[in-house]
Amino acid sequence: MNSQDTIQAGKAVLGIEFGSTRIKAVLIDQDNNPIAQGSHEWENQLVDGLWTYSIDAIWNGLQDCYADLRKNVKGQYNCEIETLAAIGISAMMHGYMAFNKNQEILVPFRTWRNTNTGQAAAELSKLFNYNIPLRWSISHLYQCILNNDEHVKDIDFQTTLAGYIHWQLTGKKVIGVGDASGMIPVDPKTKTYDASMVEKFDKLIAPKEYGWKLLDIFPEVLVAGENAGILTEEGARKLDVSGNLKAGIPLCPPEGDAGTGMVATNAVKQRTGNVSCGTSSFSMIVLEKELSKPYEMLDMVTTPNGSLVAMVHCNNCTSDINAWAKIFKEYQELLGVPVNMGQLYTTLFNEAAKGDADCGGLVSFNYISGEPVTGLMDGRPLVVRSANDKFTLANFMRAHLYGAIGVLKLGNDILFKEENVKVDRITGHGGYFTTPIVGQKMLAAALNSPISCMSTAGEGGAWGIALLAAYVVNNAKGLDLPDYLDQVVFAGNTGTSVDPDPNDVAGFNQYIENYKSCLAIEQSAVANKKA
């Protein structure tokens, strides 16, 4: 079938992902190729000191995104979307959405950005003997309990953003295992919430006598490939306000953005991983076994099929590089030289590749905001150098490229050096890798591991959740998810790989020692920064 026939026959699959700044829809054909897209830009709001998106913003954004997809389908193929083979919903993970029995949200949606859960996260980490991050749903819930918030007694259902949208479209209170692992830890053996931790939590809050236990209010956990319900008549009207879309379409389990990123980079198999480097950065390494102990730098989540994943999440990545690029742009404009930002970035990245392996002693802290991995709740961008360092443009830019992934290296050093984790393939994606080879070369040095990049990685999480939806209806051979991705979606394509250069590895190791010794300077700058 051509794309028009695929859409008219109802064989296309739709994936929708709610990112922090954009809602994106991707329509794929039976060969998993994107054939149409739609999007909606949005921003979170700071309300009473907490970051949120309103319920109206969520639905207006979803409906506008779908309307944009319809418009693009009409423009490209002169046809209407009336039915689909499957739908998948994904969103930024974690946060807090609590509803009463009337399906009314009890407090505004609290996103992953909020850091008001310090006491709860610390107490739960100790109780569970497991690292519980500030942004996890259980941290938000317990902080509300510690605060004696009035609404807690009225909770009938608590879920994530993806789980909420899915519930409203299907009537099913379910969640994908990857997204669930950002609510409370998941047991990789049972592929659902860790029973011992659930029991400990229920015992902890029993004196409050709320009338509910955790499993009463948390969604049911499903793994990739399971049918998670069908689009209801009400759900179809909520998604497509034009009324053209018909009910009865199957949906896959709703997933978090970490899981869809793993799918989009073919990194769900054990001993694989992916690294996303954009405004923020994170790495996901799929483990063969549990770690020997908990680490504050490592968040433990799962793939959409339930394998354990060690995640290093960093608040900052390329923003400081972008800020310096704007300075160079201003300088060019002062000279009357026309500025092409793509060419400017390429030139600066390629110059960085010529720098000394240890950046000539220069160190860059890219902390536009705080960086919990290094214990800083606020940030101040800094360049640190001594009088005898080799202060060249190449070293200056290389220090910034190193600095963008410095915290990422600190977290992954725990995995590779202390836990002896083995990885066969790591895939990089995001703006850091736009200039060919350079970003791969830097990350390969940081992790001392080959780094692959695939052209399809740019399709992002909306494509990833579309693939998970297709997996529900198009997996005729009954393959498990890693084999389905390997054999059906990617067909052996592992992208272009760059091996670590021993000289670069040694240089990055020296850089990171300098970085660690200079952290006290960053800490002092934060403590004493201007109002």
Side-chain angles (χ1 to χ4, degrees):
M1 289 186 179
N2 61 32
S3 296
Q4 183 187 50
D5 291 341
T6 298
I7 295 167
Q8 290 181 317
K11 298 295 185 181
V13 173
L14 174 62
I16 299 175
E17 180 158 278
F18 288 72
S20 298
T21 59
R22 184 169 67 145
I23 305 170
K24 182 178 179 181
V26 171
L27 204 63
I28 64 172
D29 63 18
Q30 291 169 288
D31 294 321
N32 302 301
N33 299 310
I35 54 176
Q37 297 186 2
S39 66
H40 171 83
E41 305 293 325
W42 69 340
E43 292 183 6
N44 52 191
Q45 306 296 321
L46 190 63
V47 178
D48 296 328
L50 294 171
W51 291 104
T52 187
Y53 300 87
S54 70
I55 293 295
D56 284 345
I58 291 169
W59 287 106
N60 289 339
L62 176 64
Q63 290 163 0
D64 185 61
C65 177
Y66 186 82
D68 189 47
L69 174 72
R70 284 184 57 239
K71 178 182 176 182
N72 289 337
V73 166
K74 188 75 172 176
Q76 288 184 75
Y77 307 113
N78 194 31
C79 64
E80 180 62 68
I81 306 170
E82 295 185 354
T83 189
L84 296 157
I87 299 173
I89 301 295
S90 175
M92 58 192 109
M93 291 174 67
H94 322 299
Y96 184 69
M97 299 192 83
F99 300 86
N100 63 19
K101 290 183 179 179
N102 296 322
Q103 298 190 17
E104 298 164 332
I105 195 162
L106 292 166
V107 292
F109 167 38
R110 296 174 182 177
T111 77
W112 64 272
R113 287 190 67 183
N114 291 294
T115 57
N116 62 311
T117 58
Q119 182 185 357
E123 291 187 14
L124 292 174
S125 295
K126 185 176 181 181
L127 176 68
F128 297 155
N129 190 32
Y130 204 95
N131 180 41
I132 305 298
L134 300 176
R135 62 187 184 277
W136 280 21
S137 302
I138 195 69
S139 296
H140 284 278
L141 174 61
Y142 189 49
Q143 191 65 54
C144 291
I145 292 170
L146 290 173
N147 294 346
N148 293 309
D149 287 357
E150 181 67 21
H151 76 270
V152 176
K153 69 180 188 323
D154 298 320
I155 297 175
D156 183 67
F157 182 45
Q158 182 190 341
T159 189
T160 64
L161 178 56
Y164 165 66
I165 298 295
H166 183 95
W167 169 43
Q168 294 297 299
L169 295 182
T170 66
K172 298 290 185 181
K173 296 178 178 179
V174 299
I175 193 171
V177 64
D179 207 8
S181 67
M183 295 190 72
I184 191 172
V186 160
D187 183 341
K189 299 183 183 68
T190 62
K191 301 189 189 306
T192 189
Y193 307 116
D194 187 288
S196 65
M197 296 185 198
V198 170
E199 184 179 357
K200 286 178 181 178
F201 185 82
D202 285 338
K203 186 176 180 181
L204 176 67
I205 67 168
K208 296 286 188 177
E209 298 182 340
Y210 285 126
W212 53 258
K213 291 186 176 182
L214 197 62
L215 295 186
D216 297 330
I217 64 171
F218 268 23
E220 177 189 355
V221 181
L222 301 176
V223 298
E226 292 191 86
N227 191 308
I230 60 171
L231 185 67
T232 63
E233 292 284 355
E234 182 183 4
R237 290 194 299 272
K238 280 190 168 185
L239 178 58
D240 179 13
V241 294
S242 75
N244 285 287
L245 189 65
K246 298 174 182 175
I249 301 165
L251 274 79
C252 69
E255 265 299 349
D257 51 358
T260 57
M262 286 186 269
V263 171
T265 53
N266 192 19
V268 301
K269 183 177 287 186
Q270 292 178 358
R271 294 174 64 109
T272 67
N274 80 91
V275 174
S276 173
C277 292
T279 305
S280 62
S281 68
F282 60 84
S283 64
M284 315 284 293
I285 305 298
V286 188
L287 305 176
E288 295 177 280
K289 60 181 181 179
E290 295 189 40
L291 301 180
S292 63
K293 61 180 181 181
Y295 297 91
E296 278 192 35
M297 284 189 181
L298 302 176
D299 301 349
M300 305 306 296
V301 292
T302 77
T303 64
N305 61 321
S307 289
L308 199 61
V309 177
M311 179 180 189
V312 180
H313 185 277
C314 311
N315 286 355
N316 302 283
C317 187
T318 59
S319 293
D320 199 32
I321 295 172
N322 296 339
W324 281 104
K326 289 178 182 177
I327 293 293
F328 291 116
K329 172 179 178 286
E330 288 183 31
Y331 177 68
Q332 278 191 247
E333 289 173 337
L334 283 173
L335 295 177
V337 179
V339 178
N340 178 301
M341 288 305 291
Q343 184 182 33
L344 177 61
Y345 276 105
T346 299
T347 300
L348 292 173
F349 271 59
N350 284 330
E351 187 66 15
K354 301 174 186 176
D356 294 321
D358 66 350
C359 304
L362 277 65
V363 173
S364 166
F365 290 98
N366 65 334
Y367 294 13
I368 300 291
S369 63
E371 198 60 80
V373 170
T374 48
L376 287 158
M377 299 310 292
D378 202 353
R380 191 168 191 175
L382 289 177
V383 177
V384 182
R385 67 185 180 99
S386 67
N388 294 323
D389 289 340
K390 298 177 183 177
F391 190 47
T392 66
L393 178 60
N395 283 338
F396 180 81
M397 287 310 303
R398 193 179 185 105
H400 279 84
L401 265 63
Y402 276 14
I405 53 175
V407 178
L408 201 67
K409 175 177 172 58
L410 292 174
N412 280 279
D413 277 354
I414 293 172
L415 290 175
F416 300 137
K417 295 181 179 179
E418 297 184 33
E419 290 286 339
N420 200 31
V421 168
K422 303 298 183 186
V423 180
D424 298 325
R425 175 172 49 83
I426 297 176
T427 303
H429 56 110
Y432 187 84
F433 303 102
T434 301
T435 300
I437 305 300
V438 179
Q440 286 177 264
K441 183 179 173 72
M442 302 296 174
L443 187 61
L447 303 186
N448 194 18
S449 174
I451 303 297
S452 297
C453 282
M454 294 188 288
S455 59
T456 52
E459 299 296 345
W463 184 57
I465 191 65
L467 296 179
L468 287 172
Y471 179 59
V472 172
V473 294
N474 292 337
N475 185 21
K477 296 181 180 178
L479 300 170
D480 63 15
L481 182 60
D483 287 340
Y484 177 81
L485 293 176
D486 270 347
Q487 297 175 28
V488 178
V489 177
F490 293 92
N493 176 25
T494 57
T496 303
S497 181
V498 170
D499 291 326
D501 181 305
N503 184 55
D504 288 342
V505 172
F508 207 119
N509 286 337
Q510 180 59 55
Y511 175 89
I512 210 67
E513 290 305 313
N514 294 340
Y515 186 99
K516 288 188 286 188
S517 68
C518 291
L519 267 172
I521 302 173
E522 173 69 23
Q523 291 163 347
S524 179
V526 168
N528 296 287
K529 75 176 185 178
K530 62 186 179 184

